[in-house]
Amino acid sequence: GVYWVDSQQKRYVPVKGDHVIGIVTAKSGDIFKVDVGGSEPASLSYLAFEGATKRNRPNVQVGDLIYGQFVVANKDMEPEMVCIDSCGRASGMGVIGQDGLLFKVTLGLIRKLLAPDCEILQEVGKLYPLEIVFGMNGRIWVKAKTIQQTLILANILEACEHMTADQRKQIFSRLAES
Amino acid sequence: MKETPLSNCERRFLLRAIEEKKRLDGRQTYDYRNIKISFGTDYGCCIVELGKTRVLGQVSCELVSPKLNRATEGILFFNLELSQMAAPAFEPGRQSDLLVKLNRLLERCLRNSKCIDTESLCVVAGEKVWQIRVDLHLLNHDGNIIDAASIAAIVALCHFRRPDVSVQGDEVTLYTPEERDPVPLSIHHMPICVSFAFFQQGTYLLVDPNEREERVMDGLLVIAMNKHREICTIQSSGGIMLLKDQVLRCSKIAGVKVLEITELIQKALENDRKVRKEGGKYGFAESIASQRITAFKMEKAPIDTSDVEEKAEEIIAEAEPPLEVVSNPVLWTPGTAQIGEGVENSWGDLEDSEKEEEDEDGTDEAIILDSIKMDT
């Protein structure tokens, strides 16, 4: 039996295989330095994108948001991430679009929201059309049609941590009516 | 550690939101965050919380010889420290610019405005005066340190009691708190700093910027005022050009805000005085008890949800009817997004991470399709 101890934590430690949202901080030679909220920035090679070759470089600027997964993450080495899965396809990873809002939550909330039996995401989806990306490092990127809707969604997700299921249903029903 | 960089996406979103007069936590442009003042067991110790920004203030006093050119005046000493727990960017060697700026502003606000009567701090002219030392520690940085620090300083000074002293001829007797009640400081007025953040070259302004807003602002205007509408200090940083009427407007807003904050301070001091007189329990252990880590509480954010109906109608009007909506096709090929939610993938041993992503993509598509279906 393997036990997973869930704890309340905001500080992220890179783990191999985790999908995270990172912010590009520097471009140096062949790699990008990406801040993922850990103790060191992760490195991302420009070839680690779908369809990237030495001549065909991906369009990534400093300050862009990247959704990728770690291939190397241990305490002895600098973490490395890629935006491509083991078969060479992007499958949702890569540069995240220009608009939308990025905000930070605790790691426990992310795990709760990504659990297979979590209804919060489905309820949120019924409210407005939206695009959302969860990073296991506590970062969530959300985009809705208008700024106000995006702000409402961001605040709901942050508050989900502190609300009981009943309070949450109340808020959703109130929003759905208005 | 270096500061977390601000992504282009956040900067763009914040600026667009400010253009539409929306703030991240739902405040209006001229609203302050919730201010909470709590006192410790010692006189002169207080914690001020401005939203999530926290400053701890402690006042202490000592008998020293006065400065040579000011033989009849007491000495005031202010010190603000940015603790490393306040933000990951605050490291022992690295804070100098911000630290110097904040300390200078605080000194100008409190010392040059002569809010404390330094003549009353003199015990024996030329030989013994009181040195009052105000230490402020920033415990958490969520924007607008200067406002929180100025409130903490003035609250701590108002709360402080110094030991009583009597002079008979050449003899100076210093009474302990048990012998004679300690005496409050003589404070003429309470100067409070109000910060205004400017965006887009001075077109938009916000009061009490939080940490995200501070990162994208163009310039900052700090006005220190007291409740009698006297300006004690005014400082503009960031190099933006401000028009005369903008500055006047800011000073009017500052006047209103300072009145509210001064009332709050008086109430807090009054409450604490009452509790101490009645012999009740006071101090941090009482006032911070409700914030144990197990008591998950979050303050209500006043998000405006009223407009949503109009927007929904707009969306309905603008959405084109889909030509052929295949309601729940199930694509069993691996690696493509599934349309329709929660359908088990029949390709048994996929890695967990891939499965997660597929589900995410699947739900996104389903949500968009569902909403279009609802609108038609």
Side-chain angles (χ1 to χ4, degrees):
Chain A
V2 178
Y3 293 91
W4 179 260
V5 180
D6 204 357
S7 53
Q8 192 62 1
Q9 194 174 326
K10 288 171 91 162
R11 199 104 180 70
Y12 178 66
V13 175
V15 169
K16 178 171 165 173
D18 259 4
H19 291 259
V20 293
I21 298 181
I23 305 175
V24 179
T25 52
K27 275 205 273 198
S28 69
D30 289 345
I31 55 166
F32 303 113
K33 283 277 178 234
V34 179
D35 168 87
V36 293
S39 52
E40 284 183 82
S43 67
L44 168 63
S45 160
Y46 75 89
L47 290 173
F49 289 83
E50 183 171 359
T53 60
K54 286 209 167 65
R55 305 239 187 101
N56 177 16
R57 288 182 175 238
N59 182 15
V60 175
Q61 307 304 324
V62 172
D64 278 350
L65 291 178
I66 299 266
Y67 183 61
Q69 65 177 340
F70 285 113
V71 291
V72 171
N74 52 45
K75 60 181 169 62
D76 304 313
M77 291 166 60
E78 173 194 56
E80 287 172 29
M81 58 189 282
V82 291
C83 287
I84 199 171
D85 64 12
S86 47
C87 309
R89 285 180 306 267
S91 55
M93 296 189 271
V95 181
I96 297 179
Q98 292 307 312
D99 291 322
L101 172 65
L102 176 78
F103 58 99
K104 202 161 184 327
V105 293
T106 55
L107 307 185
L109 179 65
I110 297 273
R111 289 194 289 261
K112 183 163 98 167
L113 291 170
L114 286 177
D117 53 350
C118 179
E119 329 137 323
I120 304 181
L121 202 50
Q122 295 165 5
E123 290 174 24
V124 164
K126 294 204 193 86
L127 276 180
Y128 321 115
L130 81 162
E131 287 175 55
I132 195 165
V133 178
F134 293 102
M136 298 297 290
N137 53 346
R139 293 183 181 161
I140 303 182
W141 177 84
V142 71
K143 176 175 167 187
K145 272 234 156 79
T146 65
I147 298 223
Q148 179 166 327
Q149 289 178 1
T150 317
L151 284 175
I152 294 180
L153 289 168
N155 277 278
I156 288 184
L157 288 171
E158 279 174 348
C160 272
E161 188 164 11
H162 306 285
M163 290 198 283
T164 61
D166 289 329
Q167 289 171 323
R168 207 177 58 224
K169 291 197 174 49
Q170 262 180 24
I171 298 216
F172 278 116
S173 53
R174 207 158 18 113
L175 279 175
E177 285 163 31
S178 66
Chain B
M1 272 184 63
K2 267 171 63 175
E3 246 177 15
T4 321
L6 188 69
S7 55
N8 300 339
C9 164
E10 284 178 284
R11 180 183 299 268
R12 210 181 321 232
F13 184 86
L14 278 166
L15 288 174
R16 271 178 56 201
I18 289 168
E19 283 169 24
E20 295 186 14
K21 311 256 195 245
K22 302 230 183 291
R23 297 175 85 161
L24 286 185
D25 45 6
R27 287 186 277 158
Q28 303 295 325
T29 15
Y30 299 158
D31 276 353
Y32 255 83
R33 289 171 279 180
N34 275 338
I35 303 181
K36 265 195 290 206
I37 303 178
S38 44
F39 296 96
T41 39
D42 289 338
Y43 279 114
C45 182
C46 72
I47 288 189
V48 170
E49 290 176 49
L50 179 62
K52 291 205 203 132
T53 304
R54 272 207 209 185
V55 179
L56 167 76
Q58 174 72 60
V59 180
S60 50
C61 65
E62 204 189 335
L63 276 175
V64 295
S65 338
K67 293 207 177 103
L68 292 171
N69 52 346
R70 299 237 189 270
T72 52
E73 287 184 13
I75 303 178
L76 283 175
F77 184 67
F78 298 98
N79 184 31
L80 169 70
E81 277 180 24
L82 304 174
S83 155
Q84 274 108 64
M85 67 172 112
F90 294 156
E91 269 174 20
R94 280 228 219 158
Q95 320 156 1
S96 32
D97 270 355
L98 181 62
L99 195 59
V100 167
K101 181 168 152 229
L102 292 171
N103 270 303
R104 277 302 296 142
L105 193 50
L106 215 57
E107 274 199 28
R108 274 167 43 208
C109 167
L110 293 165
R111 194 199 297 271
N112 297 1
S113 65
K114 309 231 183 288
C115 60
I116 311 253
D117 182 11
T118 41
E119 301 267 347
S120 67
L121 296 175
C122 176
V123 177
V124 178
E127 284 177 30
K128 286 251 173 271
V129 297
W130 284 111
Q131 176 188 43
I132 305 286
R133 185 195 167 99
V134 182
D135 284 297
L136 299 161
H137 294 264
L138 180 69
L139 300 177
N140 192 32
H141 176 31
D142 194 30
N144 206 3
I145 305 177
I146 189 61
D147 285 14
S150 78
I151 298 177
I154 203 66
V155 166
L157 284 166
C158 289
H159 191 243
F160 180 63
R161 305 275 182 270
R162 65 167 172 81
D164 200 2
V165 169
S166 71
V167 184
Q168 275 137 359
D170 269 342
E171 254 194 56
V172 175
T173 337
L174 179 66
Y175 297 104
T176 62
E178 289 83 34
E179 292 170 12
R180 276 215 207 162
D181 277 344
V183 164
L185 296 175
S186 147
I187 298 184
H188 294 307
H189 61 93
M190 302 208 278
I192 300 198
C193 293
V194 177
S195 303
F196 299 88
F198 286 94
F199 303 85
Q200 313 280 42
Q201 311 306 320
T203 329
Y204 303 99
L205 89 81
L206 290 181
V207 174
D208 187 20
N210 71 11
E211 209 251 330
R212 294 279 111 181
E213 290 162 356
E214 271 187 356
R215 298 259 211 135
V216 296
M217 72 181 172
D218 284 338
L220 182 72
L221 175 70
V222 180
I223 302 184
M225 230 189 211
N226 62 24
K227 70 173 183 193
H228 308 294
R229 302 183 53 85
E230 300 167 332
I231 294 187
C232 307
T233 298
I234 188 163
Q235 167 167 308
S236 160
S237 54
I240 45 161
M241 313 289 263
L242 288 175
L243 301 169
K244 191 173 59 175
D245 58 331
Q246 277 176 319
V247 179
L248 281 177
R249 198 162 38 129
C250 288
S251 66
K252 287 205 186 73
I253 301 171
V256 171
K257 293 297 161 192
V258 165
L259 266 178
E260 293 171 6
I261 298 178
T262 314
E263 267 181 40
L264 184 72
I265 295 179
Q266 303 283 24
K267 242 193 296 181
L269 285 166
E270 188 54 48
N271 279 346
D272 182 74
R273 203 186 341 237
K274 239 191 310 179
V275 169
R276 280 178 204 255
K277 206 158 67 149
E278 292 163 9
K281 289 202 238 176
Y282 50 86
F284 290 132
E286 286 310 305
S287 47
I288 311 192
S290 58
Q291 294 172 29
R292 286 187 298 269
I293 191 135
T294 52
F296 282 124
K297 265 199 326 189
M298 196 172 123
E299 293 190 359
K300 288 203 285 219
I303 293 292
D304 181 16
T305 54
S306 52
D307 270 350
V308 180
E309 193 178 306
E310 292 147 35
K311 301 284 165 60
E313 285 172 1
E314 271 175 45
I315 298 174
I316 292 174
E318 287 168 32
E320 298 140 18
L323 300 170
E324 294 139 36
V325 176
V326 188
S327 53
N328 280 321
V330 170
L331 304 172
W332 294 101
T333 20
T336 52
Q338 292 184 331
I339 301 182
E341 32 180 345
V343 183
E344 271 302 320
N345 194 308
S346 68
W347 285 65
D349 288 341
L350 277 184
E351 275 180 30
D352 274 346
S353 49
E354 280 196 9
K355 204 157 164 225
E356 245 173 33
E357 269 166 285
E358 283 195 17
D359 281 347
E360 267 176 30
D361 288 340
T363 36
D364 282 344
E365 304 250 337
I367 288 160
I368 296 171
L369 279 178
D370 272 348
S371 67
I372 296 179
K373 276 197 296 190
M374 275 180 340
D375 296 338
T376 53

